[in-house]
Amino acid sequence: MTRTMFGRPLPGVAFDVAVSAVVALIGLAGAVNLPGGWAGALVCVGMAVALLFRRGHPGAVTVVVAALGLVQVIAQWGPLPFDIAILIALYSVVKYGERLRDGVLAGAVAAVGAVLAAVQTPGVLIWWVTALWYALVTGAVWLVALNVRTHRLYVLSLEERATTLEREREAESRAAVAEERTRIARELHDVVAHSMAVMIVQADGARFMLDRDPAQARTAVKVVADTGRAALEEMRRLVGVLRDAGPSGGDALAVAADPEHRRLVLAELPDLLARFGDAGLYIRSTVTGEPPALPPGLELTVYRVVQEALTNALKHAGVDAAVEVTLAYTTEAVEVRVRDDGRGRPLVSPAPSGGHGLLGMRERVTVYDGSLTAGPRPAGGWQVQVRLPLPSDPATEVIAA
């Protein structure tokens, strides 16, 4: 960690103090022999003190140094060794100035000062040759400062860009974690809503058949227990993912790659149909076409649509209702149709509805630009039909939140 002094890095402060000390020593050492004497030395010390602030206030420092140089010109002392402070101030305003315009203005003033210094320079050379020499030196310092300024601003822009990219990565990571948590919350809703609907139906049936048909009541209770265990296991897995993410949200990619965080696939669809068959529905399933390789998110959407439609059939059509589940695969889309005859045995008490089944299905289907139609059939019962276009790139994966 870099140590600071007066809010600035310590190495920079030490360097500026050294530069100012050298300028001051040059003026004090020549106070006796150089023109101006001790008055010139005071001008030199003023310049040296001003240079201490050249990084933080380069414009003000340049004005002070130029004013002291003007005093030197008015006093007709001629160019002196400590005038190197003028070049240092010029370099500083070009390098550290907020606007390059200040550096250009300082360069123009320095050019005028070079002409005035040349006029007052004793020697055999004509004044314009000396002025040209001073201008070349001043111009070289100005160009070096401009090059350093350009490099400095380039480095600062790279640092700012790196900081911006880091913030964007953090924002994307937080958004991915939030999206993953939303998806998990949706999965928890599906697990609880569908499993509890089956358990309530079977529990009511067991209560109704307890005295009339104990064997069937025991079967219903077994279905309740099996459904509860499966739901609890899936809930534990999903909640475990949330806990593994940690208080800060964790890494969404690590969450998605967690081997325990498996997504339901269509290979598990027969088990789903079997569970609803055990719950009392007469299910006939049909698959047409060759199943293509689907993205995991699209498979999950198909699975949840079938699960939601069967849950609604069990709750509203009743036990012993006949349900037809059809999956049709084409080269352009996968189509799902679930319809019941509405002729099941009425439930002892209606199962409570979450009120978001169709909305949830429609939201999942919309993610993949699909279409959903649901409504009563003319012959009785209910029908849900979904069409999901296949992605042009099979490797493209979208997760329905």
Side-chain angles (χ1 to χ4, degrees), residues 54-55 58-59 91-100 102-103 149 152-153:
R54 67 187 187 90
R55 296 178 191 262
Y91 176 90
S92 301
V93 74
V94 175
K95 178 180 178 181
Y96 299 112
E98 294 184 2
R99 298 168 298 182
L100 184 59
D102 297 340
R149 174 192 177 89
R152 172 173 169 268
L153 294 179

Side-chain angles (χ1 to χ4, degrees), residues 323-375:
V323 182
E324 180 182 355
V325 178
T326 303
L327 285 179
Y329 298 100
T330 67
T331 57
E332 298 179 351
V334 53
E335 297 182 358
V336 183
R337 185 176 66 243
V338 180
R339 56 186 178 184
D340 61 78
D341 59 5
R343 301 175 183 174
R345 175 162 41 87
L347 304 179
V348 176
S349 59
S353 173
H356 302 288
L358 288 177
L359 291 177
M361 276 196 291
R362 192 175 302 278
E363 184 178 344
R364 286 181 181 274
V365 170
T366 302
V367 171
Y368 292 95
D369 297 325
S371 60
L372 180 146
T373 57

Side-chain angles (χ1 to χ4, degrees), residues 247-328:
S248 61
D251 190 346
L253 298 179
V255 171
D258 190 343
E260 294 298 324
H261 184 211
R262 67 178 182 86
R263 294 186 173 96
L264 299 172
V265 295
L266 293 183
E268 301 180 45
L269 199 55
D271 295 335
L272 176 68
L273 300 181
R275 288 200 297 271
F276 277 95
D278 294 338
L281 296 178
Y282 294 103
I283 299 177
R284 183 167 64 91
S285 63
T286 304
V287 178
T288 61
E290 186 67 23
L294 299 178
L298 188 58
E299 285 196 68
L300 177 63
T301 298
V302 174
Y303 184 97
R304 290 304 188 195
V305 165
V306 174
Q307 185 182 44
E308 180 65 41
L310 291 176
T311 302
N312 289 339
L314 182 63
K315 290 194 296 183
H316 303 295
V319 179
D320 296 336
V323 182
E324 180 182 355
V325 178
T326 303
L327 285 179

Side-chain angles (χ1 to χ4, degrees), residues 174-263:
R174 288 193 296 269
V177 171
E179 181 180 357
E180 185 70 9
R181 286 174 175 267
T182 301
R183 193 194 67 80
I184 292 173
R186 170 61 55 78
E187 297 305 308
L188 284 173
H189 167 268
D190 290 340
V191 170
V192 173
H194 303 316
S195 300
M196 292 301 293
V198 173
M199 293 169 66
I200 290 172
V201 170
Q202 292 300 308
D204 283 343
R207 185 181 63 178
F208 181 75
M209 300 298 295
L210 187 59
D211 296 328
R212 300 183 182 182
D213 192 344
Q216 188 173 353
R218 283 194 294 272
T219 301
V221 173
K222 182 179 182 300
V223 172
V224 172
D226 293 342
T227 304
R229 290 191 189 94
L232 183 60
E233 179 64 24
E234 191 166 357
M235 288 177 63
R236 283 175 175 171
R237 182 173 65 252
L238 293 173
V239 174
V241 172
L242 291 176
R243 288 178 176 174
D244 291 342
S248 61
D251 190 346
L253 298 179
V255 171
D258 190 343
E260 294 298 324
H261 184 211
R262 67 178 182 86
R263 294 186 173 96

